[in-house]
Amino acid sequence: MTDFNKELFDKYIKTLLKWQKAINLISPKTIQNVWDRHFKDSLSLFDYVKDKENIFDIGSGGGFPGMVLSVAGIKNITFVEADERKCFFLNEIKKEYNLDVKIINDRVENLTSKADCIIGRAFAPLDKFLNLCENIINEKTEMFLLKGENINSEIENTKKDWNFDYNLYKKTDGFIIKITNISRK
């Protein structure tokens, strides 16, 4: 993984913790370990998506993983978040870092624009994630998702309704799954 200077994200962390008092952006249990748990985890996708275009971050919430990747230099990210309050937070980070990103306050299943690359973290089990994203998947869509230790059962369950190829990349506390050739059975 590419190394990143934690100081780049100091402003982000400060803003996140301030907003956390008003809206739930991260689990309160992870506040003491916010850098490793949320920022480093999000940055683990950097080398996988650094050259991708037309990236959609689904269920952006507190900006993980997409806003963190954007601050780190990834371009062409569209954030999809149904919670208006979380969109206000994302816009605050966008302004603080002067980022050229698009933030959509809507549910992913309402979108019709196609995505070449989809990223996500802690949004939904894989089968539900694919069902919700069906409208934005095209023949060349690649997904890079941060998943936990139960990924194999998620894959098995999802294969009942979907065809796809995948690669799993082990991380310290879970997996990155790359999904390609996605189609409904």
Side-chain angles (χ1 to χ4, degrees):
M1 180 177 100
T2 303
D3 281 335
F4 292 94
N5 184 338
K6 184 178 181 278
E7 285 73 39
L8 174 64
F9 299 94
D10 282 348
K11 223 178 351 179
Y12 194 139
I13 293 170
K14 184 178 177 183
T15 303
L16 174 76
L17 295 176
K18 180 178 121 193
W19 279 69
Q20 178 69 17
K21 295 172 186 170
I23 61 174
N24 187 36
L25 296 167
I26 59 174
S27 168
K29 294 182 284 188
T30 64
I31 289 174
Q32 295 303 318
N33 196 18
V34 70
W35 172 250
D36 288 335
R37 184 68 182 94
H38 299 288
F39 288 83
K40 280 179 71 176
D41 188 45
S42 295
L43 289 167
S44 67
L45 287 179
F46 186 88
D47 290 331
Y48 296 94
V49 301
K50 65 184 176 188
D51 298 321
K52 303 298 179 194
E53 296 192 20
N54 190 23
I55 301 169
F56 278 55
D57 178 9
I58 306 303
S60 304
F64 308 110
M67 194 61 78
V68 173
L69 293 168
S70 186
V71 170
I74 302 291
K75 308 284 188 233
N76 305 310
I77 302 180
T78 298
F79 298 86
V80 182
E81 174 55 55
D83 186 325
E84 186 176 34
R85 299 167 308 151
K86 292 177 181 178
C87 287
F88 286 133
F89 168 78
L90 294 170
N91 273 302
E92 183 72 21
I93 298 298
K94 175 183 175 177
K95 282 185 239 165
E96 285 184 3
Y97 285 91
N98 194 29
L99 299 171
D100 183 19
V101 299
K102 183 177 181 183
I103 299 169
I104 299 173
N105 181 205
D106 203 347
R107 299 180 61 79
V108 64
E109 59 269 31
N110 295 334
L111 303 182
T112 56
S113 300
K114 302 300 183 191
D116 295 335
C117 181
I118 297 172
I119 58 176
R121 177 179 182 264
F123 179 68
L126 187 56
D127 59 337
K128 183 176 181 182
F129 192 89
L130 290 182
N131 288 337
L132 292 171
C133 291
E134 187 169 13
N135 288 344
I136 66 171
I137 294 171
N138 66 39
E139 64 281 346
K140 64 179 186 174
T141 298
E142 294 179 296
M143 290 186 174
F144 295 89
L145 308 175
L146 295 161
K147 298 302 260 172
E149 295 295 331
N150 63 347
I151 186 58
N152 288 317
S153 62
E154 285 190 41
I155 292 168
E156 185 178 312
N157 191 43
T158 306
K159 286 281 190 179
K160 294 173 187 171
D161 296 317
W162 290 89
N163 294 309
F164 57 91
D165 297 326
Y166 70 94
N167 294 90
L168 282 179
Y169 306 98
K170 180 73 175 129
K171 303 183 317 127
T172 305
D173 57 349
F175 294 90
I176 294 171
I177 183 170
K178 175 184 179 183
I179 304 172
T180 57
N181 301 315
I182 308 161
S183 64
R184 185 175 281 285
K185 286 189 175 180

